[in-house]
Structure formats: structure tokens, C-alpha cells
Amino acid sequence: MRLVYIPANLTEIKKFGIIPVLIQQLLKKEVDIVPYAFAPTPELWKHVDFSIPLGIEYYNLLQQYPKTENRLTAIIRPFSLTVWVLFIISFVIMVIFIALITHYNQQIKDFKSKSLMNIVNRYAIYMLTVITGQGNHLSSKEKFSLRLAVGLWCLTMIVLVNAYSGTLTSYLTVPKLVPIVNTFAELSKANSGPYKVFGNSLRNNPQLLVKGGNIFEGMKNVLERNAAYFTNRVAVQYMMALDMQTHSNCRLTASDPIPYMDYYSAALPQGSRHNWIINHE
């Protein structure tokens, strides 16, 4: 086979677009193969054949770079809501438990004349000083069951407070970013039928619909309208790099790969006798 390069007409490309011009080259039998990365579609299959995939591209969601979480909430972030709720419940139960031990222990003379509420208040303050690392004193004359319960509480608080302090320090030292969107379900806020949500959204907001694969229009929607732009990985990386050339701060980021892929192939004349020679691995 003799390889001859036949360029497409630049004037026609500017007028009609590159893909229609390349397809016309095949239809007019000017070339035996178009070495362009086509994404095969049902419409294109009507006119040309395609080679085995030359490349496979994953898709990502282009979106605004996440903002830093508010540091005012850092004090509660080291533990989840579940941990905080369980901690408060355990504190209340522990205070009531040791207060009851003291109240019904008739051998402790100091508390014979004090009400249960006074005892609860005393041990609530005692346990708070342990939590805040201030230290406190418990007489060795106290009942063993009381000293055991308080000792277990102190041991637990040493572990919990150290874990809290270390995590809090890391939150204050390293900025924590707001999570980005990595799936269609997160983007549409629906566990099922996200495409229906997207369709309704685009019908109600036609200005967000990017037509003809205009990546710059998609990039503008992301930056100015806080939208997400769904396209292949190469386009996402190109837009991120392009934006970094004009802005010192990173303004764009990409999601994890979305389970959707595009296959890119070269175009061949439909039914050509040369196709079997060209189209092999």
C-alpha cells in the first residue's frame, strides 16, 4: 500500500465544521481512511464504517474548585453527629449512675444530709473537669464501685480527649474542602432516575444546555453559573489547564471517573474493499 496524505479543505472546514467535511471526503471516495478520532453515532454509521477503537475515554464532571469549610465549625467536626449524641447520653447516664451509688450508700457520712440533685450537680461538675483536663480528686474512702466507675470514665476520657485534640489540630492546620460531586446521584440529589432530573432541569434552564460540544460554553457555565459540565477526560483536563494559564488560583476541578465511556475510531468508506486490510489490530 502507498500512503498518500490528502488534506481537507480549510475553507470548507471553517464554513461547515471539520466532521462534515471529513465525512464528505469519504462519501466522494477521495480517501480510504480518515485518521480522526470520531465518536461513532447512529447517524454517522448510516454513511461510513468505523475502525476498531483507537482510544477509549472516560468522562468526568467539570466543576468549580471546592471552597474551604468554615473554621468556626471546626470545634465539632472531629466527631460525627452520632459520636456527639452518644457522648452526651453516656455523660448523663454516668452522672446519674454514680450519683445513685453515692446517694444510697449510707456509709458515706458527707452525703447523708444532701439531696440527690445536689449529688448529681457535684458529680456533673466533677466529670466536666475530667473532660476538660483540669483534674479532680476522689477520696480513697469512697465505695469501690464508685471509684471503679469513675476510674473507667477517666480512662475513657483520656483516649477520647486525645483523639479529639489531635483531630482538631489537623482540622485547624490543614484546610478542609467542601466535598465535590462525584456521581450523577449526588449531582441530581436523587438515588434513582437522575437523567429525568437533568432533562427537566435543562428544559427549565435552556441557557445551561451546551450545544455542538462547545467546551468553552460549558466552561463558562461552570465558572459563572455554578453548573457542572459532563464531558470526556481530555476536554476536562484541557479546560483546567487553560484556566490555570490565565488565573493564579485553581478555579476548576474534576470528579472521579463517571461510569460512562466514549470509543473513538477512524472512519472508513462504507463497504470499501480496502477496509479489511486497514481495519486490523
Side-chain angles (χ1 to χ4, degrees), residues 102-103 105-106 108-116 118-119 122-123 142 146:
T102 303
H103 181 69
N105 182 15
Q106 300 299 322
I108 303 177
K109 299 178 181 179
D110 294 342
F111 294 101
K112 279 184 178 180
S113 60
K114 293 188 177 182
S115 67
L116 178 60
N118 288 334
I119 300 173
R122 178 181 183 275
Y123 282 117
E142 300 281 8
L146 179 64

Side-chain angles (χ1 to χ4, degrees), residues 19-188:
I19 292 179
V21 173
L22 296 179
I23 296 298
Q24 284 299 315
Q25 279 191 302
L26 287 172
L27 295 177
K28 294 176 181 178
K29 298 183 178 181
E30 295 176 356
V31 296
D32 294 311
I33 182 173
V34 176
Y36 180 84
F38 288 96
T41 63
E43 187 63 31
L44 290 177
W45 272 109
K46 295 177 182 178
H47 305 290
V48 299
D49 290 337
F50 288 100
S51 71
I52 59 172
L54 302 177
I56 300 174
E57 279 296 339
Y58 290 96
Y59 269 52
N60 299 80
L61 287 167
L62 181 72
Q63 53 200 294
Q64 287 188 14
Y65 194 81
K67 297 179 181 178
T68 305
E69 285 190 353
N70 192 340
R71 286 177 177 257
L72 295 176
T73 61
I75 192 171
I76 63 172
R77 283 210 307 265
F79 295 148
S80 66
L81 178 61
T82 303
V83 174
W84 281 116
V85 171
L86 292 175
F87 172 72
I88 294 171
I89 292 173
S90 65
F91 177 85
V92 173
I93 292 175
M94 195 68 182
V95 169
I96 295 174
F97 177 69
I98 62 176
L100 289 173
I101 292 176
T102 303
H103 181 69
Y104 290 106
N105 182 15
Q106 300 299 322
Q107 296 178 358
I108 303 177
K109 299 178 181 179
D110 294 342
F111 294 101
K112 279 184 178 180
S113 60
K114 293 188 177 182
S115 67
L116 178 60
M117 188 55 64
N118 288 334
I119 300 173
V120 169
N121 290 337
R122 178 181 183 275
Y123 282 117
I125 294 172
Y126 177 90
M127 295 175 71
L128 283 173
T129 58
V130 172
I131 294 170
T132 55
Q134 301 302 309
N136 212 317
H137 171 71
L138 189 68
S139 173
S140 60
K141 297 180 181 180
E142 300 281 8
K143 195 174 180 180
F144 175 75
S145 58
L146 179 64
R147 287 187 283 119
L148 177 62
V150 171
L152 290 173
W153 174 261
C154 292
L155 180 61
T156 304
M157 286 306 102
I158 288 174
V159 175
L160 199 67
V161 169
N162 276 284
Y164 173 83
S165 302
T167 310
L168 180 61
T169 301
S170 68
Y171 272 122
L172 295 176
T173 305
V174 181
K176 182 172 174 60
L177 302 177
V178 176
I180 63 172
V181 174
N182 282 309
T183 65
F184 283 152
E186 293 174 7
L187 183 64
S188 64

